[in-house]
Amino acid sequence: MAEVRFSTMARSAIKAEMAGEPFDLLIIGGGITGAGILLDATARGMKAALVEMQDFAAGTSNRSTKLVHGGLRYLKQFEVGLVAEVGKERAIVYENGPHITTPVWMLLPIIEGGTYGWLATSVGIYVYDKLAGVKRSERRKMLTAEQALAIEPLLRRDGLKGAGYYVEYRTDDARLTLEILKKAVEMGGIALNYAKATGFLYHEGRVAGAEIEDVFTGETFVVRAKKVVNATGPWVDELREKDGSKSGKTLHHTKGVHIVVDGKRFPLRNSVYFDVPDGRMVFAIPRDCKTYIGTTDTDYHGDLVHPRMTQADRDYLIDCVNFMFPNVKLTAEDIESSWAGVRPLIHEEGKDPSEISRKDEVFVSPSGLLTIAGGKLTGYRKMAEKVVDMVARDLGEAGRSFKPCNTDKIPYSGGDFGGSDKMPAFVEDRAQRGVKLGLAEEDARRLARRYGTNVDVVFNLLASGRDRAEAYGLRPDVYAELAYGLRHEMVATPSDFFIRRTGALYFDIDWVKENQDAVIRYMAAACGWSDEDTERHARELQARVMEATVVEEADTGLPAGIVGA
């Protein structure tokens, strides 16, 4: 059932189903917020559909710092409630999907003249642990300068007073979104990527659905629904304009950039959250033999679909690294890849980008359109609960009744381990199965971690598809991931596969270059592309590679040399 309902080969059937009987709820936007709303609504018994004009998670939900974190820095802004709520949500996200979320110890160096002194760091992380309900084994420790350097020798020694040491949760933001969507579809929801809402339907002045355009074919169809939610992130104001209800509070777009460096060039042992001289704080995080650094936080007025790293962004982050890790001596030539994301914050007059609240808010238009704006990746589930509660209340006026929210107890697709403590044994067992199928142990373990309890399906595709893999020049593991992506994860373009299903464009760009031709050949055959389609998709992938590896000349407005040591 899930394969048919979440397969690229089933687009026609999905569109026909969407254009059929009216839905209780139509969600526009396939990022983490929309995905969470679809799962919550479906789990409560609503008939719900979701459309996304790009690929799922192609916007902000694939361009974060890739942390499910409690927002320690928000204590500085006295947003105690936000810290308490999202801090507790970390544990829920981890237990529901331990294959896509990993606890990591994070160092917070205490630097003379820095944002946090010893007392503020100690008290701040203690309060953070209490608010977030952190388990005993993950509670904060305070380290002397010597202890901090023993754990992380790359830290600057000049002015180092010590460090806080606490746990955050690293995630794959795009796959988190995807696994939530897959679970929602498994439970009866329906979702379609590359399906753009071009206008709303109305009945007696109330929004009653939307007209949808298939981005690939230009075909349009109508989805009727009793309630419609605008969960389009940076684009929410555009949809409010279509509804004639953009008034009052509006969005404030800011841009965040991250850069990726090979782990041999920047051999960081721990994740580090550190001060930089302009008063901001930046993360440096090891992942998959790479280290990534971010983020910037600047006002943004450019292209929302394809934001880019500029030379000023790049130089800012290089200077950040060289300030806290002076022996690294990072240069522009060391950067292998990058990503830029747009944060859809709710505008607050007179505040700098870093000071604007990350709290979410729901706007209700006169037509009944619900718009959810602001918020954080970590808080997606509570945002969804708030929206679906409102939908349930409105539908309840017609005599309907729905279950309360229970998404805190629903494992994501691939997360059915029976608890996070059982995942390591599962991964080892499946890694051995992968080895018996001819995979290198490292590749087998990587697949088991990435796909969790769905890895058996991936391995079955590998076992049955050796001849097809060889015919298209695909390595067996690449073939298995690609076939799984097409049949079970709505992969529609090479970029979907290389960016959001595998993360390779960011964390293993050489792997992309090595496999791109074979992947495109196989997808062309599997999807029935014409030569023109194939060339178009190949060009699109190259454009995404260029975005990740070539800086844009335009300046972001950052003063030159703002950070340099």
Side-chain angles (χ1 to χ4, degrees), residues 300-308 342:
Y300 185 67
H301 306 285
D303 182 3
L304 296 179
V305 176
H306 299 301
R308 295 277 299 278
V342 178

Side-chain angles (χ1 to χ4, degrees), residues 8 11 54-55 193-194 216 485-486 489-497 501 523 527 529 537:
T8 297
R11 285 186 67 86
Q54 302 182 81
D55 184 28
N193 52 0
Y194 298 100
F216 294 135
L486 287 164
E489 293 190 340
M490 294 288 287
V491 166
T493 75
S495 294
D496 299 344
F497 178 69
R501 305 306 185 274
M523 288 189 70
C527 300
W529 292 342
H537 286 303

Side-chain angles (χ1 to χ4, degrees), residues 104-412:
V104 294
W105 281 93
M106 176 122 10
L107 272 170
L108 197 163
I110 302 167
I111 302 292
E112 186 174 354
T115 302
Y116 297 103
W118 182 278
L119 181 61
T121 300
S122 179
V123 172
I125 303 179
Y126 173 80
V127 172
Y128 177 73
D129 282 354
K130 287 295 185 184
L131 288 172
V134 173
K135 54 181 132 179
R136 186 176 298 276
S137 63
E138 296 181 356
R139 289 180 187 165
R140 71 99 168 92
K141 305 168 185 176
M142 294 302 297
L143 309 177
T144 64
E146 291 73 21
Q147 289 171 324
L149 287 165
I151 290 173
E152 190 47 73
L154 291 175
L155 288 174
R156 69 178 297 149
R157 294 170 181 267
D158 180 30
L160 182 65
K161 301 295 185 182
Y165 201 40
Y166 65 106
V167 169
E168 286 285 24
Y169 287 69
R170 194 185 68 214
T171 193
D172 183 326
D173 48 5
R175 289 208 61 83
L176 173 63
T177 302
L178 198 71
E179 300 291 33
I180 293 168
L181 280 168
K182 285 160 65 181
K183 188 65 177 182
V185 171
E186 180 186 318
M187 297 181 73
I190 188 167
L192 186 66
N193 52 0
Y194 298 100
K196 182 177 182 178
T198 56
F200 291 108
L201 308 178
Y202 295 90
H203 177 68
E204 297 180 352
R206 305 290 288 176
V207 69
E211 184 175 88
I212 309 299
E213 177 186 346
D214 184 323
V215 172
F216 294 135
T217 66
E219 173 192 2
T220 61
F221 58 99
V222 165
V223 180
R224 300 186 183 279
K226 294 167 186 163
K227 298 294 297 184
V228 179
V229 170
N230 171 13
T232 55
W235 293 270
V236 297
D237 279 352
E238 289 187 15
L239 261 71
R240 291 169 75 199
E241 283 183 352
K242 288 182 185 295
D243 180 56
S245 59
K246 183 185 170 185
S247 61
K249 293 184 179 180
T250 58
L251 285 193
H252 184 134
H253 293 138
T254 72
K255 185 178 72 169
V257 172
H258 296 77
I259 55 175
V260 182
V261 179
D262 190 85
K264 292 177 182 175
R265 183 64 187 81
F266 187 4
L268 199 64
R269 296 181 184 177
N270 296 268
S271 297
V272 183
Y273 184 38
F274 60 97
D275 273 290
V276 294
D278 67 349
R280 296 189 64 253
M281 296 192 73
V282 169
F283 290 99
I285 301 172
R287 171 180 160 171
D288 298 340
C289 302
K290 307 292 180 182
T291 297
Y292 68 96
I293 304 100
T295 177
T296 61
D297 201 358
T298 54
D299 289 331
Y300 185 67
H301 306 285
D303 182 3
L304 296 179
V305 176
H306 299 301
R308 295 277 299 278
M309 173 180 72
T310 65
Q311 184 174 331
D313 297 326
R314 179 196 66 190
D315 293 348
Y316 176 88
L317 291 173
I318 289 173
D319 286 345
C320 288
V321 171
N322 291 333
F323 170 76
M324 183 52 68
F325 309 96
N327 291 332
V328 172
K329 296 180 171 59
L330 199 67
T331 69
E333 289 69 34
D334 295 318
I335 298 172
E336 294 187 347
S337 188
S338 70
W339 68 87
V342 178
R343 302 181 189 89
L345 308 178
I346 298 170
H347 182 69
E348 295 180 63
E349 198 63 43
K351 287 199 174 183
D352 291 333
S354 294
E355 296 174 332
I356 297 174
S357 172
R358 269 55 176 171
K359 281 192 269 192
D360 60 272
E361 194 164 338
V362 179
F363 307 136
V364 183
S365 81
S367 71
L369 176 70
L370 296 175
T371 295
I372 176 80
K376 288 168 48 62
L377 175 77
T378 312
Y380 87 88
R381 198 187 65 81
K382 298 300 287 186
M383 292 165 66
E385 181 180 0
K386 181 190 299 184
V387 170
V388 180
D389 279 349
M390 296 173 74
V391 172
R393 181 198 64 210
D394 290 350
L395 294 177
E397 293 174 359
R400 303 279 299 281
S401 63
F402 300 98
K403 305 171 188 173
C405 176
N406 68 337
T407 51
D408 57 330
K409 299 177 179 66
I410 299 176
Y412 309 138

